[in-house]
Structure formats: C-alpha cells, structure tokens
Amino acid sequence: LWWEGTAGSGTLHLLDQRLLPAREVWTQFQSVDEVARAISDMVVRGAPAIGVSAAYGMVLAARSGGGLAAARDVLARTRPTAINLFWALDRMRRVAHGGGDASPERLLDEARRIHEEDAQGNRRMGELLAARIAPGASVLTHCNAGALATGGFGTALSGIFVAHEQGKKVHVFVDETRPRLQGARLTAWELERAGVPYTLICDNMAASLMARRKVQLCVTGADRIAANGDAANKIGTYSVAVNAAHHRVPFIVAAPLSTFDLATASGQEIPIEERAGGEVTEWGAERTCPGRAQVFNPGFDVTPASLITAIVTERGEISPVDGPHIARMMAGA
Amino acid sequence: LWWEGTAGSGTLHLLDQRLLPAREVWTQFQSVDEVARAISDMVVRGAPAIGVSAAYGMVLAARSGGGLAAARDVLARTRPTAINLFWALDRMRRVAHGGGDASPERLLDEARRIHEEDAQGNRRMGELLAARIAPGASVLTHCNAGALATGGFGTALSGIFVAHEQGKKVHVFVDETRPRLQGARLTAWELERAGVPYTLICDNMAASLMARRKVQLCVTGADRIAANGDAANKIGTYSVAVNAAHHRVPFIVAAPLSTFDLATASGQEIPIEERAGGEVTEWGAERTCPGRAQVFNPGFDVTPASLITAIVTERGEISPVDGPHIARMMAGA
C-alpha cells in the first residue's frame, strides 16, 4: 500500500488482496468513497493497514472539497472492530482542527507520518519477537499479520521475517483461516516471497500439531486490545489461544500501541463485526451446503488476557498482560 | 447404503457422498474392487458405514470366485484408521472359516446381520444420547456421524434425531469440517431433511460460541477407540474437545462397540491416515495458496480419554472413560 505523488494530484495504490495469490493487481484510488469501499470489501484488510489507508482517504476527501466530518463518517462505518481505523481518523482530525489549516498537504504529511511510524514500529516489534524464537523453532500463526496487513512488513510476521534474516531456520505453520483464507492466500504468499519455509494447515489441525509438540510458539496480530488486555483478532484466534494454553505453548500477540483502546474496559465491550453467510457457504459459484442453511459468521473473536503470554508492541513487551502493565506501557513508562 | 437382491445377483447401492448436497446420485457396485475404490475415494465414509460396505464387498468377492483372503486385503488397505472396517472383515472371515461354507448366501446373511445390528445399535445410542439433551439445548457436532456414516440413522446424530422426535426443540451447531466439509455437505443435509434447526459454522468459530455459552453439549462419532478410551475421529475433533474442556461443556463420543480396539493400548498407537494436500489447497479448479506450499493433512486426530465426558455405546454409557470401565462394558457386564 502506498501513496504516489503530491497531495493535490497523487493517488493511493492498493494491492487487491482478494485476488492473491492467483493475481497481483494494483488499483489506484482517487476518492474517499472508493477507499471506504475498498476497506469494506477487503481489498485492503489488517487493522494497521486499514488505519493507514483511511488516513490517505482523508487526504483525498480534503482535496475534493468534501466535508472532512462526512468523510470521517464514511470511513468509520466500514469496519467496526479494528480500532486502528478510529485511531488514524482521530489523528487526521487533530491535524485538521489544529490550526484551522486542513489543507491536503498537511493531511498528507500526517498520513505519511502514520504510515512511516507504523513501518518503523513493525521493525522494532520484529526484533523483540525474534528474540522469542529459538533457532529451528516452529511458529504457528493465524490469519495474516504481515506486510499486507500493515504499513510496514507486519506485526506477527515481523518476528518471523527478522528471525529468518538472522539465520534462525524458523519454520511456520500457517492456519488457512476460514472463511476467507487469509492464511492460505496471503500469509503463505508473503512467506513464499521471503523464502521462509512454511506448512499450510486447516485451522482445526493446530491442536493436533501442538499435541505432537510440533509448535514452539503461537503469534498473531490484533484488531483491538481492551484496557484489561483482552484482544480481538480474526475469528479462530481464540481457539488457537485455548489450545496453546492447554498445551503450554506461549501465545503472543504483536500489535502497535494504536491497537489499544483504553476506553474499552474489557473484551466483552468490543464490537464484533458479523459478516455475510456467503463467505462460509460459497466457493466461487458452488454452494457447499443446503440452500436453507443458517450461518453464524463473526469476523473476529476475543482472546482473554489470561491466555496471552505477552503482547509485543513497538515500545516493548507487556507481560503479564493486565490493566496496570498496559497502562504503564501506554504512558511510555 | 443398501443391498438389493440375492447373494447371487444382487448389488450394493451407495449414495455418492462426494456429490452431496448438490446432487443425489446412487451408484451400484458389482465387484469388490469397485467397493474398495468407493471406500478409498470416500464415495462412502464414516467408520460404521465403511464396515458395512466392506462386508457387502466380501459377498461380491465370494460370488465372483475370487479368493476371499485377497479380497480382504484389498478392502483392508483402503483406509487405515477406522477399526470398524477390520472388525467387519473379521466377522466375515469367521463365517467363511466357520464350517468351510463360504457361500455368497452365508456371507450375505452375515453382512445383513452386521448392517441390521448397526442400525439397531444406532437407535439405542440415540435414546441414551437424547437423555443427555435438555429441552432447548444447542448441541455442537463435528464431521458427519449420521445416517450417511452408519448402517442406521447415525451415532452422534442419533441422539439429536431422537431428541427432535421427542419435541425437545434441539438446535445443532454444525462444524463445516475442513478440509472435506462433511459437516456443511452431509450433516447439514441430513438435519435439513429431518427438519432439525441448525446453524453452520467454520470449525474455528466453535470456541467463540462456547465462550458465549451458546453450546450445551458436544457430541461426535469415532473411528477407533483404544483400550484406554483415547478416541480417534475426524481431524478437528480434538480441538473441539480441548475447547469443550476449557469451557466446561460436556464432550460425548457416540460409537458402537465395533469401534473399540482393545488390542491398541492408547491413542498414540492408532495409525493416522495422511491424505493428499490437494484437499486443503484446491477448491474445484482454483488453488488457494502459492504453488510451492507444503501441506499437512492428517485425516484424523486423537482425543485423549481424559477429555471425554462419556462414550455412548449401544450397550450403555461408559463414564468415566478409562480402561477398566471400557473392559467391563466390552465384557457385557
């Protein structure tokens, strides 16, 4: 994901993640409505990447002369769970309101700062995470928390990339991540490009691997972390965490500080997006279940803090995961 | 699944389960090699149904004049995990060796007895299981352990059908069951035909439902149960059991006595079939991951006895699940 050109005439480029790994198609965006639709339709997904894309969307809104408040509303309605979206929109709002100058140039500067900070944070998270990966270890991950999900090279995957660079011979078990297969489509694609050895599994095979002691570490991203450390992430993450606890495998969440929502006391208050049933019942033109089937399709689940060994942020590790330790990290202490 | 006609000229009819729910195609089988291929290719699946089909396959072998020992070998090589296959072949062998008369007629009598006993056992299991289902309860099941998997109306699903007949207003959460989607394709199809309300979910959503207290009971079938009560079943069952234990939801296995393998001390000794990676990576003509992806695709996993609340058999319930209680039940005490 990148911005090309000036605030006045530039464009946001997004790699259409729905088409990977079969095709690499980049699309250019010139209006905030198009960006909002790209987020809703998951052309771009991953909490930090959604935040960065929305920030660039505000630049497009400003230069079209449309109202910034209306643009914020359109973007805020796209996906309810990822808090980074609202965090990025708040940063853009502060710039707009700061000195009255909401010029596209100033907004683009801020969007670029958000993007650049995210990328730098990824690198720092990667170094912290890599320190937890022993040479020859196998790491299990769920969904995609790599370059496609962020403004840099990833949250959960950052540590894997750094460990790989360090010659640690890390191996990755990739949950395919039903229903949209972000693991099979996106994480596998990123790992293959980086030359990191990996094995694709169905989500329901992770427990079996842990029972065979094939997994030394689980790491995922997060879409929103409550003040007490409960973490919302892609549906299926919670099952990984329960199984990791049962098998005494460390379960790590990697997320920038922009993922924390101190206004939300616990995971029970995090809104969970429910998505269309067709994501579960349809494969291209084929329907895999009877026509009248009811479907439950939450996009996310919540892993309680008690099951999270540590949260790795760009400022350091939070462990144990609880309210006081989170508050201290957020305060920069 | 049914046998039509005499031993001398009859045929085995199998509903091709690979085509459900889109199409209901019945295929007739006239040779043991065809039956063996149907089992390997999962035209018919489900441990008890495999056993019954193999028994009828032996009738076809006998009337063609081929050697029965060779026919047994062909059938025994089809799928290694389900013990009911070997149990049914043993029963057929005993008939063949009993008095020297291995006529197709005598073999058909025995195959029909195996079939009929399985159906009767389903009914008794159904009554025992239904007693565990409270009115208005939601039951989660994995894979398909219904009429399509047995000689009757099911093992795990039997209790749901009986509870439904009793007017208990049972609701079923159906794990889609990756990679082959037996839940979405087969269990949903059976429940819809029976008028039982159900909701289809991806396997990785079960934990989330349990956390929301939406599941009161988990019930699955089994492909082989070791002497100590460890139970092999469709991949993903173990993850359900771990999550059920974590959320204090009872986890019940329903299986006829023919599923027990007292010669196998524990689950670690149960052979686990590994299937082709294409089951995970391909959807019809579409490949959902990069071309070089390695895949791990075990067909089954093992749930330790310690996570199983009870095993329901046609002779009664085994609880707690351990070696002595299993031995007592098998001895008919």
Side-chain angles (χ1 to χ4, degrees):
Chain A
L1 105 83
W2 58 292
W3 179 275
E4 181 184 27
T6 64
S9 65
T11 54
L12 173 63
H13 294 249
L14 295 176
L15 178 56
D16 191 335
Q17 301 190 22
R18 300 168 307 177
L19 305 179
L20 291 173
R23 285 185 292 151
E24 293 180 32
V25 176
W26 286 86
T27 307
Q28 299 185 33
F29 294 85
Q30 298 268 8
S31 82
V32 66
D33 288 335
E34 288 173 352
V35 173
R37 203 170 316 119
I39 295 172
S40 294
D41 295 351
M42 297 177 70
V43 172
V44 62
R45 28 63 55 203
I50 289 171
V52 174
S53 300
Y56 287 125
M58 291 298 289
V59 178
L60 296 170
R63 86 164 180 227
S64 76
L68 288 186
R72 261 198 316 271
D73 287 349
V74 167
L75 289 164
R77 272 198 299 272
T78 52
R79 300 199 65 194
T81 302
I83 190 70
N84 316 60
L85 169 62
F86 307 99
W87 170 88
L89 292 175
D90 274 352
R91 274 188 62 165
M92 299 302 282
R93 172 171 23 203
R94 280 199 296 274
V95 167
H97 289 182
D101 173 13
S103 68
E105 288 72 19
R106 281 195 65 208
L107 288 168
L108 180 58
D109 285 347
E110 183 68 359
R112 285 206 153 122
R113 260 193 301 274
I114 289 171
H115 192 165
E116 179 57 26
E117 287 169 19
D118 193 57
Q120 286 174 4
N122 286 176
R123 166 59 60 178
R124 288 197 292 275
M125 274 186 264
E127 284 157 7
L128 289 168
L129 267 173
R132 282 190 168 268
I133 299 174
S138 281
V139 179
L140 185 140
T141 190
H142 188 77
C143 197
N144 173 266
L148 292 166
T150 62
F153 74 150
T155 53
L157 291 192
S158 67
I160 289 161
F161 291 136
V162 171
H164 180 70
E165 285 169 14
Q166 292 170 345
K168 276 187 172 174
K169 300 199 181 304
V170 61
H171 173 266
V172 186
F173 285 110
V174 178
D175 270 4
E176 64 173 0
T177 314
R178 282 285 287 152
R180 291 184 67 110
L181 302 179
Q182 292 93 335
R185 294 185 184 278
L186 308 180
T187 297
W189 183 78
E190 287 197 37
L191 293 173
E192 190 142 317
R193 280 165 59 108
V196 180
Y198 68 93
T199 302
L200 180 66
I201 60 170
C202 297
D203 305 330
N204 67 24
M205 297 167 186
S208 192
L209 284 171
M210 293 187 209
R212 299 181 190 199
R213 301 184 187 283
K214 301 273 194 194
V215 178
Q216 281 74 51
L217 187 76
C218 298
V219 57
T220 74
D223 288 78
R224 187 185 301 214
I225 302 174
N228 71 344
D230 294 350
N233 192 47
K234 180 53 52 197
I235 186 71
T237 302
Y238 174 52
S239 187
V240 173
V242 168
N243 274 294
H246 183 81
H247 297 92
R248 301 181 193 285
V249 177
F251 178 85
I252 311 288
V253 170
L257 294 172
S258 58
T259 310
F260 288 81
D261 176 15
L262 298 188
T264 296
S266 79
Q268 291 194 327
E269 298 167 29
I270 299 176
I272 299 296
E273 176 183 8
E274 186 134 0
R275 298 186 56 88
E279 291 186 348
V280 176
T281 58
E282 286 157 26
W283 282 92
E286 188 193 9
R287 190 173 165 93
T288 59
C289 64
R292 282 170 292 166
Q294 294 286 316
V295 178
F296 172 62
N297 184 24
F300 304 88
D301 57 26
V302 174
T303 298
S306 58
L307 296 182
I308 304 172
T309 310
I311 301 177
V312 172
T313 78
E314 70 274 35
R315 198 177 282 163
E317 270 194 21
I318 301 169
S319 180
V321 178
D322 57 26
H325 284 84
I326 288 170
R328 204 173 307 156
M329 184 67 76
M330 294 295 282
Chain B
L1 104 83
W2 57 292
W3 178 275
E4 181 185 26
T6 64
S9 66
T11 55
L12 173 63
H13 294 249
L14 295 176
L15 178 56
D16 191 335
Q17 302 191 22
R18 301 168 306 176
L19 306 177
L20 290 173
R23 285 185 291 150
E24 293 180 33
V25 176
W26 286 87
T27 307
Q28 299 185 31
F29 294 85
Q30 299 270 7
S31 82
V32 66
D33 288 335
E34 287 172 353
V35 173
R37 202 169 318 118
I39 295 172
S40 295
D41 294 350
M42 295 176 71
V43 171
V44 61
R45 29 64 52 205
I50 289 172
V52 174
S53 300
Y56 287 124
M58 291 298 289
V59 179
L60 296 171
R63 85 165 179 227
S64 77
L68 289 184
R72 259 197 317 271
D73 287 348
V74 167
L75 288 164
R77 273 197 299 271
T78 53
R79 300 199 65 196
T81 303
I83 190 70
N84 316 60
L85 168 63
F86 306 99
W87 170 88
L89 292 175
D90 273 353
R91 273 187 61 165
M92 299 302 282
R93 172 173 18 206
R94 280 199 296 274
V95 168
H97 289 184
D101 174 13
S103 69
E105 288 73 20
R106 280 195 66 208
L107 288 168
L108 179 58
D109 285 346
E110 182 69 359
R112 287 205 152 121
R113 258 193 302 275
I114 289 172
H115 193 168
E116 178 58 25
E117 287 169 18
D118 193 55
Q120 286 173 4
N122 286 177
R123 167 57 60 176
R124 287 197 292 274
M125 274 186 263
E127 285 157 6
L128 289 167
L129 268 172
R132 282 189 167 267
I133 299 175
S138 282
V139 179
L140 186 141
T141 190
H142 187 78
C143 197
N144 172 265
L148 293 166
T150 61
F153 73 149
T155 52
L157 291 192
S158 68
I160 288 161
F161 292 136
V162 171
H164 180 71
E165 285 169 15
Q166 293 171 345
K168 277 187 173 173
K169 300 199 180 304
V170 61
H171 173 266
V172 186
F173 285 110
V174 178
D175 271 3
E176 63 174 0
T177 314
R178 284 283 289 150
R180 292 185 68 110
L181 302 180
Q182 291 93 336
R185 294 185 184 277
L186 308 181
T187 297
W189 183 80
E190 287 197 36
L191 293 173
E192 190 142 318
R193 281 165 58 109
V196 181
Y198 69 93
T199 303
L200 180 66
I201 61 170
C202 297
D203 305 330
N204 66 25
M205 298 168 185
S208 193
L209 285 171
M210 292 186 209
R212 299 180 190 201
R213 302 186 186 282
K214 301 273 195 195
V215 178
Q216 281 74 51
L217 187 75
C218 298
V219 57
T220 73
D223 288 78
R224 186 185 301 214
I225 302 174
N228 72 343
D230 295 351
N233 192 46
K234 180 51 53 194
I235 186 72
T237 302
Y238 174 53
S239 188
V240 173
V242 168
N243 274 294
H246 183 80
H247 296 92
R248 302 182 192 284
V249 177
F251 179 85
I252 311 288
V253 170
L257 294 173
S258 58
T259 309
F260 288 82
D261 177 15
L262 298 188
T264 296
S266 79
Q268 292 193 327
E269 297 166 30
I270 298 176
I272 300 296
E273 177 183 7
E274 186 134 1
R275 297 185 58 88
E279 292 188 345
V280 176
T281 59
E282 286 158 26
W283 282 90
E286 189 194 8
R287 189 174 165 93
T288 60
C289 65
R292 279 171 293 166
Q294 293 286 316
V295 178
F296 173 61
N297 183 25
F300 304 87
D301 57 26
V302 174
T303 298
S306 58
L307 296 181
I308 304 172
T309 310
I311 301 176
V312 172
T313 76
E314 71 273 34
R315 196 176 283 165
E317 271 194 22
I318 301 168
S319 180
V321 178
D322 58 26
H325 284 83
I326 289 170
R328 206 171 309 155
M329 184 67 77
M330 295 294 283

